[in-house]
């Protein structure tokens, strides 16, 4: 799905395929027929974008075989699909029974992370539509925060320098530009915008910028306009935005709220939880929802939880989503005279672990849910003045637009849970 901003920028909207379990190239190809085409049909579009997730082995196989990349591109095109962005955060095993902190390894101090990311960039250079200005690859914010030594930080700096050099070579060899987007996330070395700016000092900002995940911004209690202003002042590009909403609990001390939250405490993914500190002080944090419910947080102020909930519908009361933060993020990036970025990726990867009764039924139900998220995002973009390009207009939906989130103080930089 493409849109035209008033400044003439072509804005690409995709959904991320890390929601689908596949570790092999054959499995990834099978996803196109099993999921992506049904999503496109359910969305009522002639073409939709895919933010492909290619695990490490599939990425290496494709990078070593340009003919296979060409076949994949032809397959995408024949099915009404296109790719301008890849999700390079998970390395492999993203649908293992337990993922949790494993998703942060290898980190950016390890050569394996550099090799993987450059393979993704090589593949993406071959998948880009002819008329796409550039490609993007999102990646983890250096590492999980614990045991991050000065030696590891120095190694990561060298790796990022090598990444920029590698991206420059890929452009020289292919004529296609691919940039990498570091994605701040709760609990990581770069959790907040300020921490990302500090972590990327001295890095070549022509090639390496930021991926803003609206769920992560909300959990960190950051104001989107202030965050984007800080990035631009520091000379960092917003390479990509991930359209996502966090789970929110206005009164986590209420027994009914805690019972509702308990249904979201599941074993596969990490659900970092943040609570404003007393008197507007630093955020209080727990590394997962289970420990937060067990007493790691005082539950004296609203909680925001790193749990990507569907964009187009609110969780059942007494819970809510941070959709207002997502709207503010989109408004900040696209509501002005100039588009701040041109890649949007809907990234709700938690459909399969939603509480019983909230999960989609079968592949068709998942396709309808993802299509509803794309339509929701398309409506938000058109409301900001963007014009759909090259496909049917977004279908109308009776899904409520959501309600305003309770007011919470803007968080200060957190020293760590």
């Amino acid at each position: 799905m493409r849109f035209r901003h008033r400044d003439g920028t072509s804005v690409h909207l995709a959904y991320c395929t890390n929601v689908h379990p596949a570790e092999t190239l054959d499995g990834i190809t099978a996803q196109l027929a099993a999921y992506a085409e049904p999503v496109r049909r359910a969305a009522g579009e002639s073409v939709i974008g895919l933010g492909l997730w290619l695990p490490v082995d599939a990425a290496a196989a494709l990078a070593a075989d340009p003919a296979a990349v060409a076949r994949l591109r032809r397959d995408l095109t024949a099915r009404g699909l296109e790719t301008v962005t890849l999700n390079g955060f998970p390395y492999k095993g993203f649908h293992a029974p337990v993922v949790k902190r494993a998703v942060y390894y290898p980190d950016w101090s390890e050569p394996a992370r550099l090799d993987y990311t450059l393979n993704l960039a090589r593949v993406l250079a071959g998948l880009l539509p002819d008329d796409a200005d550039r490609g993007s690859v999102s990646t983890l914010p250096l590492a999980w925060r614990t045991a991050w030594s000065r030696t590891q930080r120095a190694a990561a700096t060298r790796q990022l320098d090598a990444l920029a050099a590698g991206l420059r070579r890929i452009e020289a060899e292919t004529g296609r530009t691919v940039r990498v987007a570091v994605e701040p996330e709760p609990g990581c070395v770069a959790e907040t915008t300020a921490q990302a700016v500090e972590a990327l000092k001295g890095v070549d900002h022509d090639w390496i910028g930021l991926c803003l995940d609206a769920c992560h911004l909300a959990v960190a209690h950051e104001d989107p306009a202030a965050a984007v202003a800080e990035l631009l002042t520091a000379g960092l590009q917003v390479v990509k935005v991930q359209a996502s909403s966090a789970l929110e609990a206005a009164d986590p001390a209420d027994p009914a709220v805690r019972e509702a939250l308990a249904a979201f405490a599941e074993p596969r993914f990490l659900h970092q939880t943040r609570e404003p500190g007393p008197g507007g002080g630093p955020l209080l944090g727990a590394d997962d929802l289970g420990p937060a419910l067990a007493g790691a947080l005082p539950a004296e102020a609203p909680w925001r939880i790193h749990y990507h909930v569907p964009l187009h519908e609110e969780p059942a009361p007494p819970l809510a989503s941070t959709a207002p933060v997502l709207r503010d993020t989109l408004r900040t990036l696209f509501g002005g005279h100039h588009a701040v970025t041109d890649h949007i990726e809907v990234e709700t990867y938690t459909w399969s672990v939603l509480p019983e009764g909230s999960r989609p039924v079968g592949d068709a139900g998942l396709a309808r849910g993802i299509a509803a998220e794309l339509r929701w995002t398309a409506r938000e973009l058109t409301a900001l003045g963007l014009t759909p390009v090259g496909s049917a207009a977004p279908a109308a939906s009776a899904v409520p637009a959501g309600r305003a989130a309770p007011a919470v103080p803007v968080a200060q930089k957190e020293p760590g849970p």
Side-chain angles (χ1 to χ4, degrees), residues 102-240:
V103 75
Y104 306 108
Y105 299 94
D107 63 39
W108 267 103
S109 70
E110 301 175 66
R113 177 59 65 171
L114 172 63
D115 293 342
Y116 172 52
T117 307
L118 284 175
N119 279 339
L120 291 176
R122 291 185 189 98
V123 172
L124 183 55
L127 293 178
L128 285 174
D130 291 339
D131 60 348
D133 291 335
R134 64 178 184 88
S136 63
V137 178
S138 49
T139 189
L140 77 162
L142 302 191
W144 185 252
R145 73 183 187 284
T146 54
W148 183 244
S149 67
R150 183 175 299 180
T151 299
Q152 288 170 302
R153 171 61 192 272
T157 299
R158 293 191 297 272
Q159 299 265 88
L160 292 173
D161 288 342
L163 172 66
L167 296 173
R168 193 178 299 112
R169 283 194 301 273
I170 289 169
E171 184 184 62
E173 293 166 0
T174 67
R176 308 313 302 268
T177 300
V178 177
R179 296 191 178 100
V180 168
V182 170
E183 179 186 333
E185 176 165 313
C188 292
V189 169
E191 170 164 343
T192 65
T193 301
Q195 290 169 345
V197 168
E198 178 64 27
L200 296 180
K201 278 184 177 177
V203 169
D204 190 337
H205 294 170
D206 289 335
W207 298 99
I208 301 170
L210 261 285
C211 170
L212 288 184
D213 185 304
C215 169
H216 302 172
L217 279 174
V219 174
H221 290 254
E222 292 200 72
D223 173 71
V228 170
E230 184 170 8
L231 292 174
L232 298 181
T233 298
L236 279 166
Q237 302 175 68
V238 181
V239 173
K240 172 178 175 178

Side-chain angles (χ1 to χ4, degrees), residues 274-353:
R274 299 291 183 264
E275 174 179 337
L283 285 178
L284 306 176
D287 282 344
D288 210 348
L289 179 56
L293 290 169
L297 293 178
E300 295 173 351
W303 284 0
R304 286 179 175 176
I305 299 115
H306 177 216
Y307 197 119
H308 291 215
V309 293
L311 305 187
H312 62 291
E313 58 188 5
E314 285 285 297
L319 303 179
S321 80
T322 59
V325 178
L326 172 54
R327 287 194 177 92
D328 286 347
T329 303
L330 295 175
R331 186 180 305 112
T332 297
L333 296 172
F334 302 106
H337 294 299
H338 300 284
V340 179
T341 189
D342 55 352
H343 290 182
I344 310 169
E345 182 181 64
V346 171
E347 198 212 14
T348 305
Y349 57 83
T350 48
W351 288 94
S352 64
V353 296

Side-chain angles (χ1 to χ4, degrees), residues 9-21:
T9 299
S10 181
V11 176
H12 299 261
L13 171 62
Y15 88 87
C16 185
T17 65
N18 66 359
V19 64
H20 307 311

Side-chain angles (χ1 to χ4, degrees), residues 38 65 68 86 91-92 98 137 175 186 190 197 213 222 235 254 281 283 296 355 372 406:
D65 188 353
L86 301 182
Y91 187 75
K92 63 179 180 179
V98 179
V137 178
V197 168
D213 185 304
E222 292 200 72
D254 185 324
L283 285 178

